[in-house]
Amino acid sequence: MVRTMNKLTITKKMIKTSRAIISFRNIAHISWKIADRRKNVKKDELFYDVRIYSNADAIRQMMNEEEFIELTTNYTNWVNTNE
C-alpha cells in the first residue's frame, strides 16, 4: 500500500519526503523527537521532527502522528523481513 500525505510518500520499501527519496535498505537509522505544537492545528495533534540517516547524510522531515506511525511500522516490518 502506498500512502501519500503532506508531500510525503511512504511505501513498504521506501520513503519520499519533500526533499529526498530513500530506500529502506539505505537507511542506517532513524531518530525523532516530538516537536512543539504548530499553530492552527488541533490541540492534541502531535508533530515529530524525524531524521533519517544514511551513509550519504541525514534527511530531516516534520511528520504528523499518522505519517510517523506509517513510517516506523513499515520500516520495522521491512527490517524484520530482511534481517
Side-chain angles (χ1 to χ4, degrees), residues 35-80:
D36 291 335
R37 288 188 173 86
R38 293 184 174 185
K39 294 179 182 177
N40 302 321
V41 297
K42 296 176 192 170
K43 188 176 182 180
D44 59 346
E45 190 171 9
L46 294 177
F47 284 89
Y48 295 81
D49 182 4
V50 178
R51 293 178 190 212
I52 303 167
Y53 296 88
S54 71
N55 61 353
D57 206 351
I59 300 168
R60 186 175 181 187
Q61 180 72 35
M62 292 298 294
M63 295 182 187
N64 64 32
E65 189 169 18
E66 184 179 356
E67 294 165 333
F68 177 75
I69 291 169
E70 185 79 14
L71 172 63
T72 55
T73 299
N74 285 0
Y75 184 66
T76 300
N77 290 340
W78 184 87
V79 168
N80 289 336

Side-chain angles (χ1 to χ4, degrees), residues 14-42:
M14 57 78 76
I15 180 171
K16 178 182 174 188
T17 72
S18 58
R19 295 178 162 219
I21 299 171
I22 188 166
S23 169
F24 286 168
R25 74 175 174 270
N26 292 327
I27 294 175
H29 72 278
I30 300 172
S31 67
W32 63 88
K33 67 178 179 177
I34 296 175
D36 291 335
R37 288 188 173 86
R38 293 184 174 185
K39 294 179 182 177
N40 302 321
V41 297
K42 296 176 192 170

